[in-house]
Amino acid sequence: MSTTTTRGVAQPAPAKASPARPRRGLRGNPTFNFWLFTGPFLIGLVIFVFVPIVWSIWLSFFDARFTVTPSKFIGLDNYKSMLTNSNFTGSLVTFTVFAALIVPLTWALSLGLAMLVHRLRFMRAFFRSVFFLPTAVSYVAAALIWKMSIFTGVRFGLMNTVLGWFGVENIAYLSDPNPPWYWLVIVTVRLWLQSGFYMILFLAALQNIPAELYEAAAIDGAKPGWQTFRYITLPQLRATSTAVILLLLVAAYQAFDEFYNIVTTKATWGQTPLMVLYKTALGENQDYGAGSAGAVILTLLICLVTLLQGKFMGFGRGEDSK
Amino acid sequence: MSALSNSNWNRRNVLQAAMGLAAAGGLAACGGNTGRSGGGSGDALTQYFHAYGEAGTEQAIKRYAAAYKKADVKTNWITGSNFESALFAALLTKKAPDVFEFHPQIQMVKSGQVADLSDIINPVKDDFNPADIKSHTVDGKIYGVRMIDDPQFFFYRKSMLEKAKVDVPTTLDELLEAAEKLTTSKVKGVFLGNDLTPAINPLLWSAGADTLTADNKPAFHTDAVVAGMKQLRQLFTSGNLLLDAPADYWDPSAINQGLCAIQFCGMWAMPAMQQALGDDLGVFPFPKVGDNGKQSVYNGGWSMFVNAKGKNVDAAKEYVKWLWIDQKQYQEDWATSYGFHIPPRTSIAQSATKLKSGLPAEGVKLFNEFGHFDNIGWTQAMITALTDAFANSVRKNGDPNAALATAEKKVNAELKKLFG
């Protein structure tokens, strides 16, 4: 042990306790140590984040097709082109619809699953694992399973087989946007993939609610079930719910894999902003200028939404301003 | 103190180990997928191919590469549906392929992406299909070597048409009627691909229109095309069109599995269809649209290009010349031993015995009689504009006239960028 004991109280060893190894050169220099530990990460950040951002802004003012080192300056043409591109503006609507569907549905389903698993007396670990396992599945793999075996439009697709038992005709879930069955495919695959993760968060929160609260409520005559859930469980989960909703919104913003693999790039609907940018810049068109302009517009929109969200929900507001 | 502290590792050991690992990594890299059995000498070249569906194609390409002695040729066989993305992204990096397959695109010529191959093609130019030469030529220079021509048309089950008492359709109206008569509770009349895009160009040509005029102006916005799109919409909503099949139009499984009676596909899938269906198979071109149209066949295909910005342009051109100009036995093998394709070299096409009789010969006849080739001026941006127009009107029930007007506007903007 490297501490000394004085009158039975443990004291930290004095700084002089190891004179045998004097500080040598740069090793004792705090500035050097700072750069030693943070330098590699800062270099990575500059190379892989800041340089691409600046380069992207620069590209957005040039005719940059099939090249990322263009020479023809075209001003705001790329911005005009993206803002008048109905696929890009439509993708913002798609994202809004997706968020409006997936956030409350995942919240409700993961909370429901957590309540079920929490109340289980037997095999709790088993069911917890069963519901959590889809989290480990690749989005691409899951999307292809949904598309090619569950929701195919042919008679041997799983859904059409089941519907066929009830005399329902085969449904083309993905080719025909009227009615928009593709939402059923996209939302269910995302629900399957992510509900288990949020269930674990809710389960941890449920386990932290003191049992005394329920006992006191029972003594006061609260009925078990909805009343207890409404007035005790739900308020106790408020912090977790807020975090879950924020995480779900962020995840919805990043939606790409399942849309790309389920809807295909040949449609003009069901395209998220990331998908449109991918098609513009990295797809067959290879228009890095327009793609960069779209990325800048999207970034500005996200900043605006974040600021508005902060204003309305109070995030980032100091104690004094409350 | 932990057990680790007792070991003799110090900075020097760690550095030595790291150098050893780096050396091992370097040696391992020497054993990469070069397509040759042993180590090679000379230049190192990389070629990109999309994954062909026909069994044996990947091995064939690697076998050809292994036979080339002047350079180590590494093959990158790109699976999945994002070949174009993977290729174009790679072309911007230092690991860009020296040689790659793609379709003729003026944009690639204008951006200096592909090398002029006139010097290696000109000596044998007359032996190539003139339409293939034309589709790879800009300002008198030839920018790619066609490897295969891929006619695309309708395949049909003879027995199903006979049972339903349906004649082979020659007009779009007849195709709609046939689809209705052929549809049962288990089989759909027609399969045009899951997103209908394979029908776009054939519809234009069959309606007497085109993508661009000879002097590069939009030629697709005509009354006949609008009428044809309305008919396609009718077919789309009729319940007689196979939609959301597990595999798309390029794969023969829809017709092979009995999901449809008529399928639009390429001649590449003919051997697989014949294997599954025997003689119960016929072919016909995309039917006539409107009174002034004419049946059509889209002659797709793949061409070999040399990356003009690569480090080994001369060596790459030499390899392309060796494989796709000099080695006729490989060219015939590539065109006829896996799927069926038409060799772009007249001399090979005439001697290819597998294409001389039966259904393949009928395919060649359709190719010669009704074929339309790629237009090098029709770029990806224009393709996307027209694809969007079809998606919005045929699949989404928009107004075809308005959708084509929007596409025309986009194509004009693109043409202005290209030709001023």
Side-chain angles (χ1 to χ4, degrees):
Chain A
M1 203 170 238
S2 60
T3 54
T4 55
T5 304
T6 309
R7 292 176 189 171
V9 179
Q11 297 286 336
K16 290 181 182 173
S18 53
R21 304 188 72 185
R23 290 174 181 172
R24 283 185 303 161
L26 291 170
R27 288 180 68 184
N29 185 336
T31 309
F32 171 75
N33 287 336
F34 170 80
W35 286 111
L36 183 68
F37 284 99
T38 59
F41 299 101
L42 281 174
I43 291 168
L45 195 69
V46 168
I47 293 174
F48 297 110
V49 177
F50 293 124
V51 169
I53 288 175
V54 173
W55 201 317
S56 183
I57 295 169
W58 180 72
L59 276 178
S60 69
F61 297 106
F62 285 82
D63 181 13
R65 288 182 300 162
F66 288 84
T67 178
V68 288
T69 52
S71 54
K72 191 178 174 190
F73 181 80
I74 55 168
L76 294 172
D77 281 5
N78 284 325
Y79 287 90
K80 280 182 204 161
S81 146
M82 286 310 285
L83 287 170
T84 53
N85 179 346
S86 57
N87 289 353
F88 183 67
T89 47
S91 73
L92 299 173
V93 177
T94 300
F95 159 71
T96 309
V97 173
F98 180 59
L101 288 170
I102 201 67
V103 173
L105 281 175
T106 311
W107 179 86
L109 183 64
S110 51
L111 178 57
L113 289 175
M115 299 279 289
L116 279 174
V117 173
H118 185 58
R119 288 181 183 195
L120 280 175
R121 291 283 174 266
F122 304 100
M123 299 177 76
R124 185 189 287 189
F126 171 76
F127 283 104
R128 204 163 45 194
S129 306
V130 164
F131 292 132
F132 184 73
L133 269 177
T135 307
V137 177
S138 140
Y139 271 53
V140 175
L144 292 177
I145 291 168
W146 249 245
K147 178 182 180 177
M148 296 170 79
S149 58
I150 300 176
F151 288 101
T152 58
V154 297
R155 60 178 186 271
F156 47 72
L158 183 62
M159 277 300 284
N160 279 344
T161 302
V162 173
L163 291 173
W165 296 338
F166 301 98
V168 178
E169 289 266 315
N170 289 344
I171 295 174
Y173 298 92
L174 300 172
S175 295
D176 194 348
N178 299 314
W181 285 113
Y182 62 91
W183 279 121
L184 176 71
V185 187
I186 287 169
V187 169
T188 51
V189 71
R190 178 58 84 102
L191 272 177
W192 184 73
L193 283 164
Q194 69 179 11
S195 294
F197 174 75
Y198 295 102
M199 177 200 75
I200 295 292
L201 297 187
F202 277 123
L203 202 55
L206 283 171
Q207 286 165 353
N208 279 335
I209 300 176
E212 291 84 2
L213 281 176
Y214 292 102
E215 287 165 9
I219 290 167
D220 287 345
K223 292 174 192 165
W226 171 249
Q227 209 170 32
T228 311
F229 174 76
R230 166 78 179 78
Y231 292 104
I232 296 176
T233 310
L234 213 50
Q236 289 292 313
L237 294 177
R238 185 172 294 150
T240 307
S241 284
T242 309
V244 164
I245 288 169
L246 275 176
L247 289 172
L248 282 170
L249 267 174
V250 171
Y253 256 122
Q254 295 171 339
F256 177 80
D257 294 346
E258 68 270 53
F259 280 86
Y260 184 83
N261 287 289
I262 286 173
V263 182
T264 83
T265 55
K266 305 290 182 191
T268 53
W269 51 89
Q271 315 275 305
T272 62
L274 282 187
M275 207 168 149
V276 174
L277 294 184
Y278 177 84
K279 272 169 69 177
T280 307
L282 299 168
E284 294 168 349
N285 292 340
Q286 295 287 301
D287 193 340
Y288 296 97
S292 298
V296 171
I297 294 167
L298 194 61
T299 306
L300 291 174
L301 272 174
I302 292 170
C303 288
L304 184 68
V305 170
T306 309
L307 287 173
L308 288 173
Q309 186 178 307
K311 187 174 175 60
F312 289 115
M313 297 180 77
F315 291 125
R317 200 180 293 161
E319 284 297 317
D320 297 342
S321 60
K322 281 181 184 173
Chain B
M1 206 174 250
S2 70
L4 264 180
S5 318
N6 282 328
S7 69
N8 293 323
W9 287 92
N10 56 32
R11 277 172 298 177
R12 186 166 296 171
N13 293 137
V14 172
L15 188 64
Q16 283 170 347
M19 287 173 71
L21 276 173
L27 287 171
C30 293
N33 175 18
T34 61
R36 336 176 54 127
S37 52
S41 58
D43 293 305
L45 298 174
T46 303
Q47 58 177 356
Y48 270 31
F49 274 80
H50 84 284
Y52 286 70
E54 299 86 63
T57 44
E58 184 180 4
Q59 291 78 7
I61 280 296
K62 287 180 178 171
R63 195 172 63 245
Y64 308 153
Y68 187 60
K69 301 300 176 196
K70 288 188 178 174
D72 260 329
V73 183
K74 181 185 169 188
T75 302
N76 206 342
W77 191 258
I78 297 171
T79 54
S81 58
N82 60 341
F83 172 71
E84 289 85 353
S85 307
L87 170 67
F88 290 133
L91 284 172
L92 295 171
T93 69
K94 284 186 177 174
K95 289 192 172 180
D98 301 287
V99 177
F100 59 90
E101 61 166 5
F102 201 62
H103 314 290
Q105 292 269 305
I106 198 168
Q107 187 63 59
M108 298 180 82
V109 176
K110 294 259 179 186
S111 60
Q113 195 79 72
V114 290
D116 174 11
L117 303 183
S118 306
D119 54 338
I120 62 170
I121 297 174
N122 275 337
V124 288
K125 189 177 162 185
D126 294 341
D127 191 34
F128 272 90
N129 186 324
D132 278 324
I133 293 292
K134 188 185 169 194
S135 67
H136 291 72
T137 303
V138 176
D139 297 332
K141 293 176 181 171
I142 308 167
Y143 286 90
V145 185
R146 195 65 147 182
M147 299 182 293
I148 42 174
D149 280 320
D150 283 330
Q152 298 171 28
F153 33 62
F154 283 105
F155 291 82
Y156 67 95
R157 295 280 299 272
K158 288 179 177 174
S159 60
M160 288 185 178
L161 267 68
E162 280 166 21
K163 193 178 171 190
K165 293 178 180 155
V166 172
D167 291 328
V168 173
T170 54
T171 66
L172 193 53
D173 286 324
E174 288 173 9
L175 183 70
L176 265 65
E177 285 167 26
E180 191 173 357
K181 287 180 185 169
L182 290 163
T183 299
T184 67
S185 60
K186 291 191 172 178
V187 181
K188 293 286 185 185
V190 181
F191 182 44
L192 272 170
N194 284 329
D195 51 30
L196 273 62
T197 50
I200 296 175
N201 279 19
L203 183 89
L204 302 185
W205 293 317
S206 283
D210 206 337
T211 50
L212 296 173
T213 58
D215 56 345
N216 290 319
K217 291 196 173 77
F220 53 82
H221 191 178
T222 67
D223 291 343
V225 173
V226 171
M229 288 168 81
K230 285 180 180 168
Q231 281 180 288
L232 269 192
R233 172 69 191 168
Q234 204 182 323
L235 179 64
F236 184 74
T237 55
S238 65
N240 305 324
L241 191 65
L242 177 64
L243 297 171
D244 284 357
D248 214 337
Y249 86 102
W250 44 264
D251 187 286
S253 55
I255 195 165
N256 285 359
Q257 291 174 353
L259 292 172
C260 63
I262 302 173
Q263 176 180 345
F264 192 82
C265 194
M267 200 164 120
W268 59 80
M270 199 180 266
M273 289 184 190
Q274 287 179 310
Q275 197 177 1
L277 306 172
D279 292 334
D280 188 17
L281 197 62
V283 289
F284 66 90
F286 198 93
K288 193 170 88 160
V289 179
D291 296 333
N292 299 319
K294 189 191 169 192
Q295 291 166 297
S296 69
V297 165
Y298 173 44
N299 291 333
W302 289 92
S303 312
M304 196 43 76
F305 296 91
V306 168
N307 177 9
K309 295 174 182 172
K311 292 176 190 165
N312 308 301
V313 176
D314 290 336
K317 281 173 74 171
E318 202 175 336
Y319 172 64
V320 168
K321 179 181 179 298
W322 175 82
L323 180 52
W324 299 112
I325 291 175
D326 298 339
Q327 302 301 312
K328 285 189 168 186
Q329 78 280 15
Y330 288 152
Q331 292 157 38
E332 183 172 345
D333 179 66
W334 183 239
T336 60
S337 297
Y338 313 97
F340 282 154
H341 314 264
I342 297 176
R345 300 284 294 273
T346 312
S347 56
I348 302 174
Q350 283 172 349
S351 66
T353 49
K354 287 180 182 173
L355 304 179
K356 281 189 170 175
S357 60
L359 203 60
E362 280 186 53
V364 174
K365 193 179 162 202
L366 296 184
F367 168 85
N368 289 326
E369 197 172 343
F370 301 108
H372 291 261
F373 288 74
D374 286 316
N375 182 338
I376 197 166
W378 186 244
T379 65
Q380 291 292 346
M382 299 179 200
I383 293 169
T384 304
L386 201 54
T387 305
D388 284 355
F390 269 70
N392 284 336
S393 52
V394 178
R395 292 169 67 196
K396 208 179 170 187
N397 199 25
D399 174 16
N401 209 14
L404 286 179
T406 306
E408 200 172 13
K409 205 173 159 187
K410 288 179 185 170
V411 169
N412 270 324
E414 185 69 11
L415 287 167
K416 197 177 171 189
K417 281 182 191 173
L418 285 172
F419 302 109

